[in-house]
Amino acid sequence: MNEISSEQTRPIRVYVLNRINHSQHCAFWQDEYEPDGRYKIVIVTAGSGKVELEAEGFISHLEKGKSVLLSPEGAARIMSWQSGLSYYELAFTVWGEEGAVRDHFATAFAGTYQCPLELNCQPFSQCIDYVEAIMRLHSSPDEMAAFDGHVFFQELLRFLFQQNRPAEEGASTRKAVEQSIKQLRDRYREVWTVNRLAAMANITRGHYTRMFKNITGLIPLDYLNGVRMDRAKQLLEKTDDRLFEIAQYVGFSNEYYFSRRFKQTVGISPGQYRRSHRDGIRVFAPFLEDFLVALGITPVSQCFHTVWGKQDYLGLQHVPAFDIEAADIEALSRLRPDFIIMDGGIERWLASDSWRSLAPTYNLPHPGEDWRSTLRIVADLLGKERQVPGIIERYESKADEARRVLGRSVRRETVACLRVSALGISLYAGAEQGYTGPVLYKDLGLTPHPLIRQLTGGARKAYVKLEGLAKLDADHLFITFDKRHSAYEEEERGLFASPEWQALPAARNGRVYEVDFLTWMNYGIMSHSKKIDDVLRVLA
């Protein structure tokens, strides 16, 4: 046996956490950090500012998600800007074999010694998880809890080492992980474990899982399951193979486990999926008809509300209507649906589960604003996946052209959208939320009135009192009327007679545009396309 002498081994370094603080400071605060023999990691959680070393002329700007490493030898100054500054500070020492502090920490990060050092701490959520665990456990009187805090500190350092390794090493490791992912896709029928994949990339299991998720967005076994399910869906669509044959082909040991995983992943059983892909399937999808029509599918019935009416913009005049308030399950049964697609919002109308016995049912996790995901899910359920890229591309091309036209005609004039009922006025949110904001402000690039951000915050809409309308001095107003709560005909339109409304600049200048309720209060791609038409008609 060959012996390895101590001269051949790499010196052992121990990283000892001495202190952890979370600091919150107001605008234009500053503080000096004097040398005390400790390294310091600063991780910013809110606000903005800077850290500077006057002797070296170094300045690093601070903002949420940024982190810097401060040297134990140099003095530093931290300052906050107008927004204030919140950050975690972790002070620690690095001990070598003989107990002396060694300057290997920055070398471990970047290959060369340089402090202060800007650190990559992404994904930031993972970094903060470590820090919060350390903060919680470090000062605990319980010896085991305090020890766990030090363990989490070592894991934080390992996370930072991995995110800040020299470029060549990082690139080489990433290439190895990408190659293992290709092997996984090509040989999905084999038995795979994370340990086997990590060994192929020659890195640790934990490091492999983190890099895998960074590349694919999934952990390895979920990714493998997705690959197998995609292949199983192809076989269900294109062959008459029995389920146990498909299960074994794609890598599952038995039909029962395959069926259970398929339903967990896809939302319906393999048999239901196969039936939903045959030609001429009769689909009932209340208030989701927009997506069916976009995919070229005529629903077996369309939703109807006694006050709101039907979604006339879809052109389904010949399709039988289903009164959502009456919820006549027997009438729906006579239409003989083969497949039902529901989202969570329908439960406010159909409280009974009796309709679920009519046909196989898929409960859609309707993501609202993310209509592209909804379209893909519905297309996948009904065998129309190939149509989706073209549908999305046509919409985006239309939106791009409209944005160019409106950029010339509207420029920086402000826009807002109101929903008015007998109960009050709702102001719809900005570019990220609601039925209208993503189209008006993101797709078309229109400028939201400042009051929108002020009142809606993170919500999809905000209620505005009549007296508060005076602040809504937008150049253009889109308005739709919800008749559901009106006690008499056109009660909701009484708003127009109020002095508060008549005083608005948009009202005085004839820049109020009434739009169809069910067209604008909808997340579907067809409704979004109609919104673009409506906007161009009045603003271009």
Side-chain angles (χ1 to χ4, degrees):
M1 181 181 294
N2 294 328
E3 293 186 0
I4 300 176
S5 67
S6 61
E7 286 79 8
Q8 293 175 290
T9 62
R10 192 171 183 175
I12 297 173
R13 293 188 296 273
V14 179
Y15 304 92
V16 181
L17 178 65
N18 308 121
R19 181 181 71 247
I20 178 170
N21 295 318
H22 184 244
S23 302
Q24 294 180 296
H25 299 291
C26 59
F28 306 115
W29 160 92
Q30 69 176 31
D31 195 15
E32 306 285 341
Y33 278 81
E34 298 297 333
D36 62 359
R38 298 184 178 96
Y39 287 94
K40 298 175 185 68
I41 297 177
V42 174
I43 301 172
V44 181
T45 57
S48 59
K50 69 176 181 177
V51 57
E52 64 179 18
L53 276 69
E54 293 182 353
E56 301 176 25
F58 177 90
I59 296 178
S60 178
H61 295 286
L62 301 176
E63 60 186 16
K64 181 179 179 180
K66 288 199 63 176
S67 177
V68 295
L69 172 69
L70 302 179
S71 166
E73 286 84 19
R77 178 186 298 117
I78 292 184
M79 303 177 182
S80 65
W81 298 138
Q82 187 172 3
S83 58
L85 188 65
S86 298
Y87 61 88
Y88 284 99
E89 175 211 342
L90 297 92
F92 61 96
T93 49
V94 184
W95 294 86
E97 289 178 304
E98 300 167 359
V101 176
R102 297 179 184 272
D103 292 332
H104 293 295
F105 190 78
T107 304
F109 278 130
T112 57
Y113 175 79
Q114 179 186 0
C115 262
L117 181 73
E118 293 189 5
L119 305 179
N120 174 16
C121 55
Q122 303 300 318
F124 190 59
S125 58
Q126 186 174 344
C127 177
I128 289 300
D129 283 346
Y130 285 129
V131 174
E132 289 178 346
I134 296 165
M135 186 80 178
R136 186 174 65 252
L137 297 168
H138 181 65
S139 59
S140 173
D142 180 73
E143 184 175 350
M144 184 57 71
F147 179 79
D148 288 340
H150 283 284
V151 171
F152 275 111
F153 177 63
Q154 306 306 313
E155 292 187 359
L156 171 66
L157 294 184
R158 182 176 64 179
F159 167 79
L160 293 173
F161 288 160
Q162 290 166 345
Q163 301 306 314
N164 294 272
R165 61 177 51 193
E168 289 185 5
E169 179 185 356
S172 174
T173 301
R174 183 182 179 92
K175 186 174 181 180
V177 174
E178 289 174 342
Q179 183 61 34
S180 72
I181 294 171
K182 183 179 183 302
Q183 292 284 325
L184 189 66
R185 276 199 311 269
D186 293 343
R187 296 156 51 191
Y188 61 89
R189 297 174 63 186
E190 298 180 13
V191 176
W192 289 96
T193 65
V194 179
N195 287 337
R196 178 186 174 189
L197 291 164
M200 290 176 63
N202 197 29
I203 57 177
T204 66
R205 176 190 174 107
H207 187 193
Y208 181 86
T209 300
R210 285 189 290 273
M211 287 201 69
F212 192 105
K213 187 170 184 180
N214 186 46
I215 294 170
T216 68
L218 298 169
I219 61 174
L221 296 184
D222 282 351
Y223 181 86
L224 173 61
N225 184 58
V227 172
R228 288 173 169 172
M229 290 304 148
D230 285 344
R231 182 56 178 147
K233 287 189 286 188
Q234 293 172 5
L235 295 172
L236 288 166
E237 294 174 38
K238 298 176 181 179
T239 75
D240 293 323
D241 292 351
R242 291 173 291 184
L243 291 186
F244 83 87
E245 294 172 331
I246 292 175
Q248 291 184 339
Y249 184 86
V250 300
F252 289 91
S253 58
N254 63 73
E255 178 184 340
Y256 171 76
Y257 182 61
F258 163 69
S259 295
R260 184 159 61 88
R261 291 303 300 268
F262 189 96
K263 187 165 186 178
Q264 288 173 346
T265 304
V266 181
I268 54 177
S269 71
Q272 291 169 349
Y273 183 88
R274 173 174 270 168
R275 289 191 294 274
S276 72
H277 280 65
R278 70 174 186 266
D279 292 335
I281 185 170
R282 299 171 62 80
V283 185
F284 175 59
F287 289 135
L288 297 170
E289 294 92 347
D290 189 302
F291 298 98
L292 299 185
V293 174
L295 292 166
I297 298 171
T298 301
V300 69
S301 178
Q302 62 174 317
C303 252
F304 167 80
H305 187 279
T306 51
V307 176
W308 293 340
K310 296 182 293 186
Q311 298 166 95
D312 291 329
Y313 71 93
L314 293 176
L316 297 175
Q317 289 80 3
H318 61 290
V319 174
F322 177 78
D323 188 336
I324 198 69
E325 285 198 305
D328 188 344
I329 303 301
E330 185 177 340
L332 180 60
S333 175
R334 288 195 293 271
L335 295 173
R336 296 178 291 104
D338 297 315
F339 191 49
I340 298 174
I341 304 176
M342 298 281 188
D343 75 349
I346 203 65
E347 292 178 358
R348 64 186 288 199
W349 309 104
L350 300 178
S352 171
D353 283 345
S354 58
W355 50 268
R356 295 180 185 272
S357 63
L358 299 180
T361 301
Y362 178 82
N363 295 309
L364 178 72
H366 189 22
E369 289 80 358
D370 188 6
W371 59 264
R372 292 169 180 82
S373 292
T374 303
L375 181 66
R376 291 189 182 101
I377 292 171
V378 174
D380 179 60
L381 291 170
L382 301 174
K384 302 290 184 179
E385 305 95 317
R386 294 183 181 179
Q387 297 185 24
V388 171
I391 293 171
I392 293 176
E393 182 180 357
R394 287 191 292 274
Y395 173 84
E396 291 178 346
S397 295
K398 179 175 183 175
D400 288 344
E401 176 59 27
R403 184 165 56 248
R404 286 191 289 272
V405 171
L406 293 168
R408 295 191 296 267
S409 64
V410 182
R411 295 185 175 87
R412 303 304 295 173
E413 294 174 356
T414 58
V415 174
C417 180
L418 298 175
R419 173 175 173 168
V420 179
S421 76
L423 298 181
I425 306 165
S426 297
L427 173 66
Y428 272 85
E432 303 301 326
Q433 292 272 30
Y435 297 118
T436 60
V439 179
L440 294 177
Y441 311 123
K442 181 182 288 185
D443 296 346
L444 299 182
L446 299 174
T447 303
H449 188 272
L451 192 65
I452 293 173
R453 177 180 293 274
Q454 179 184 336
L455 293 184
T456 60
R460 285 171 167 162
K461 61 183 178 181
Y463 292 102
V464 181
K465 294 182 179 179
L466 192 59
E467 56 270 23
L469 275 180
K471 298 179 181 178
L472 189 61
D473 55 349
D475 297 298
H476 303 275
L477 286 177
F478 289 91
I479 182 170
T480 190
F481 290 98
D482 181 356
K483 305 176 183 179
R484 185 175 174 222
H485 305 288
S486 297
Y488 53 87
E489 188 71 21
E490 298 195 346
E491 178 187 5
E492 70 283 351
R493 293 178 178 270
L495 171 70
F496 285 156
S498 68
E500 292 86 354
W501 177 264
Q502 294 175 3
L504 293 180
R508 293 200 311 270
N509 298 325
R511 292 181 169 183
V512 176
Y513 318 108
E514 184 177 346
V515 291
D516 178 63
F517 179 77
L518 285 179
T519 302
W520 278 60
M521 299 293 103
N522 197 307
Y523 289 117
I525 181 175
M526 302 286 289
S527 77
H528 286 350
S529 183
K530 283 290 294 179
K531 292 182 183 82
I532 294 175
D533 293 339
D534 290 344
V535 172
L536 288 174
R537 187 173 62 253
V538 296
L539 296 187

